[in-house]
Amino acid sequence: MSHKAWFQCASGCDERYELNEVIYKCKKCGNLLEVKHDIEKLKHRSPKSWMRLLDERYRRTKWPYGSSVWGKKEMVCPNVSDDNVVSLYEGGSNLFWAERLGKIMGVEDLWIKQCGNAHTGSFKDLGMTVLVSMVKQMISEGKEILGVACASTGDTSAALAAYCAAAGIPAIVFLPKDKVSTAQLIQPIANGALTLSLDTDFDGCMEIVREICSKNKIYLANSMNSLRIEGQKTVSIELVQQFDWEVPDVIIVPGGNLGNVSALGKGFILMKDIGIINKLPRIVCVQASKANPLYQSYLKGFKEFKPVKAQKTLASAIQIGNPVSINKAIKILKMFNGIVEEATEDELANAAALADRTGLFNCPHTGVALAALSKLVKKNEIKKNEQIVIISTAHGLKFTDFKIRYHENKLDEVNPKYVNLPVELPPEYEVVKKTIFEKLETVNKL
Ligand SMILES: *Cc1c(COP(=O)(O)O)cnc(C)c1O
Ligand SMILES: [Zn+2]
């Protein structure tokens, strides 16, 4: 059975375009496009049979279905032929019960979905595999695409660079100068991307890359390109799959450009349409107080939206004042009984450090999600017996600077509560022993 997907205008004007067309916005009304699937055709297979098929493929080696994105190919991007898939075996990230952290935070059933345990260290791989595969497909069909470009707060460029390097396609990444971590900067450099460091912020890079791509044969890889959303939406399918096809009560996700929260919702809607699930979770989107345009809009019941000038935040991947996917995100939040919360620098850094003390190793964005959870539990908006999933978006090793400066008490506006510094000692048995027994009582206690 051949499945097919297409771009469709998200504004309701219903214009359609082929997925192998170089297009990001509706030609008629200028709105963002969405990838649509033939749901009737997907329903030819029963929900039970889909679950069995997806489970059979999950993390096996049959190309390209072992990848948790391509294992769901019919629901993601059936239009790419298997030979043109550019995959690094994405998805399949661990989902675990954070028992100790949950207890400390006053909830009974807290789970962490470690999307940062990924090829390039963030969830961005899930979407980039789809986008770069479609580019390879278009090139193989004879379309002239000279390269693929993106603006990035760090992780998108790392993913684009890796997938393009794997496919041998030129990648061009636009980074705001001095606003990404060293680890994030070294990734595109190592993968051979043309790395442009612009003296502006993310929103400034975005403006230029849009112009470059609209006037030249360079393909735009930012999340206004809805192919990426298709890959990213597999996080919801995968997580339900990991819960043996049960839906959790609440999912908390940090949001910047708001592609990921839109993708999360889209995955659940698809599963419900096909009949794989029959209820929806509540979705909580969280922002740093320094870059909180969605939160501001939420406070006004989403009646209006105003972009803000994003201030510098430790949660650098969500330092975005004018999110591209704002309309999609608001639509999803309304459908999913959504909540938006914010976290200050102090709250996010301490939440990340507290979680680290229970065995995690969190990026600052996951810190934002954890801080928001704490606040929402205190306000009783999240109940202590609900099953809660935190979407951890990147690997902590990408943000070692943040962690070192936390423990050295060098972060602005942060009063660190969980400092743990190395103890310098002479190499002498008695001194070492004395120190151990002086400190032992406090080690791993909270
Ligand atoms: C991209 C990113 C986000 C934000 O996702 P959006 O789709 O822009 O809302 C959050 N955390 C990390 C680590 C990211 O790389
Ligand atoms: Zn339109």
Side-chain angles (χ1 to χ4, degrees):
M1 193 192 312
S2 75
H3 292 270
K4 194 175 176 326
W6 60 90
F7 286 128
Q8 189 164 322
C9 178
S11 80
C13 96
D14 288 350
E15 281 280 293
R16 289 186 179 197
Y17 307 91
E18 296 288 329
L19 291 192
N20 61 0
E21 207 176 312
V22 178
I23 188 163
Y24 319 104
K25 290 194 161 181
C26 176
K27 284 183 194 163
K28 225 168 146 187
C29 72
N31 229 279
L32 286 189
L33 301 171
E34 237 168 9
V35 176
K36 288 271 186 192
H37 296 267
D38 187 343
I39 298 294
E40 287 315 309
K41 199 156 219 173
L42 286 166
K43 279 162 79 175
H44 286 180
R45 189 187 275 275
S46 71
K48 274 265 165 316
S49 168
W50 273 122
M51 295 180 217
R52 205 178 317 118
L53 180 68
L54 301 192
D55 282 342
E56 273 166 19
R57 291 170 172 173
Y58 188 62
R59 309 191 82 182
R60 311 293 300 188
T61 44
K62 186 168 182 284
W63 177 265
Y65 300 96
S67 148
S68 181
V69 171
W70 295 104
K72 301 161 178 69
K73 188 180 178 205
E74 296 87 345
M75 307 172 183
V76 170
C77 191
N79 308 33
V80 169
S81 73
D82 286 358
D83 318 334
N84 284 322
V85 167
V86 183
S87 171
L88 300 165
Y89 204 70
E90 38 291 317
S93 59
N94 49 326
L95 170 68
F96 72 94
W97 185 40
E99 183 186 7
R100 188 176 178 213
L101 179 60
K103 277 213 179 97
I104 293 167
M105 298 182 99
V107 292
E108 290 162 8
D109 205 9
L110 177 64
W111 295 73
I112 314 278
K113 177 72 174 145
Q114 292 282 55
C115 297
N117 289 2
H119 190 75
T120 70
S122 86
F123 74 82
K124 298 294 199 297
D125 292 351
L126 301 175
M128 208 53 86
T129 179
V130 176
L131 183 139
V132 175
S133 299
M134 185 48 83
V135 170
K136 190 172 173 197
Q137 171 89 21
M138 289 191 282
I139 292 173
S140 79
E141 290 167 1
K143 281 230 161 62
E144 195 184 4
I145 294 175
L146 303 176
V148 187
C150 74
S152 174
T153 52
D155 293 328
T156 301
S157 51
L160 180 67
Y163 281 86
C164 282
I169 296 169
I172 308 153
V173 308
F174 291 64
L175 295 173
K177 187 164 179 280
D178 301 332
K179 292 189 179 72
V180 303
S181 75
T182 311
Q184 287 172 321
L185 179 62
I186 196 62
Q187 287 182 290
I189 288 177
N191 286 140
L194 175 57
T195 306
L196 306 175
S197 180
L198 269 51
D199 197 2
T200 176
D201 59 4
F202 170 81
D203 295 301
C205 288
M206 196 63 241
E207 240 172 78
I208 305 239
V209 78
R210 275 193 200 195
E211 190 175 353
I212 292 283
C213 292
S214 68
K215 294 180 179 165
N216 300 277
K217 288 185 168 30
I218 293 174
Y219 195 70
L220 180 63
N222 279 97
S223 59
M224 68 184 55
N225 185 326
S226 54
L227 287 168
R228 278 179 49 203
I229 304 283
E230 290 312 289
Q232 286 173 209
K233 82 180 181 199
T234 61
V235 72
S236 353
I237 309 174
E238 177 175 303
L239 113 81
V240 168
Q241 186 173 14
Q242 287 172 310
F243 280 127
D244 287 325
W245 304 103
E246 297 287 337
V247 179
D249 297 310
V250 183
I251 301 180
I252 307 181
V253 61
N257 232 346
L258 306 178
N260 208 29
V261 64
S262 312
L264 189 71
K266 197 164 188 251
F268 280 104
I269 293 168
L270 180 83
M271 284 187 283
K272 193 149 179 281
D273 285 348
I274 301 177
I276 292 177
I277 59 171
N278 54 27
K279 68 164 198 173
L280 297 177
R282 190 161 199 196
I283 292 183
V284 181
C285 188
V286 297
Q287 299 204 292
S289 307
K290 300 271 184 185
N292 65 356
L294 181 72
Y295 180 68
Q296 298 288 349
S297 172
Y298 172 74
L299 293 180
K300 296 189 172 126
F302 294 131
K303 282 189 194 72
E304 56 177 274
F305 172 78
K306 284 202 204 96
V308 302
K309 175 86 185 151
Q311 307 296 309
K312 191 170 171 49
T313 167
L314 295 163
S316 51
I318 54 175
Q319 188 177 325
I320 294 174
N322 190 12
V324 160
S325 297
I326 182 70
N327 294 332
K328 286 182 186 175
I330 290 178
K331 201 158 106 188
I332 291 295
L333 287 165
K334 285 180 175 167
M335 278 182 80
F336 285 77
N337 193 15
I339 301 176
V340 185
E341 185 51 272
E342 63 167 358
T344 64
E345 300 298 283
D346 185 66
E347 289 167 338
L348 76 88
N350 277 309
L354 168 64
D356 285 0
R357 292 284 287 267
T358 68
L360 281 100
F361 196 69
N362 286 280
C363 73
H365 323 90
T366 307
V368 174
L370 290 165
L373 169 60
S374 252
K375 293 166 93 167
L376 292 169
V377 170
K378 281 193 191 109
K379 291 186 209 167
N380 211 22
E381 289 196 60
I382 292 180
K383 307 282 180 292
K384 60 184 276 211
N385 61 349
E386 286 184 300
Q387 187 178 48
I388 304 155
V389 179
I390 299 272
I391 304 288
S392 174
T393 48
H395 202 294
L397 285 173
K398 285 194 172 203
F399 298 91
T400 44
D401 253 22
F402 157 69
K403 292 190 179 293
I404 292 167
R405 284 164 53 225
Y406 176 90
H407 287 283
E408 290 176 341
N409 193 6
K410 285 184 182 159
L411 295 177
D412 288 345
E413 299 180 34
V414 175
N415 178 17
K417 292 189 199 142
Y418 306 102
V419 165
N420 183 30
L421 289 170
V423 183
E424 289 179 19
L425 296 176
E428 290 162 24
Y429 175 82
E430 284 304 330
V431 185
V432 171
K433 182 184 157 189
K434 183 166 167 279
T435 308
I436 290 174
F437 284 94
E438 269 169 18
K439 308 235 173 223
L440 199 53
E441 235 173 69
T442 61
V443 176
N444 267 345
K445 298 291 187 310
L446 282 164

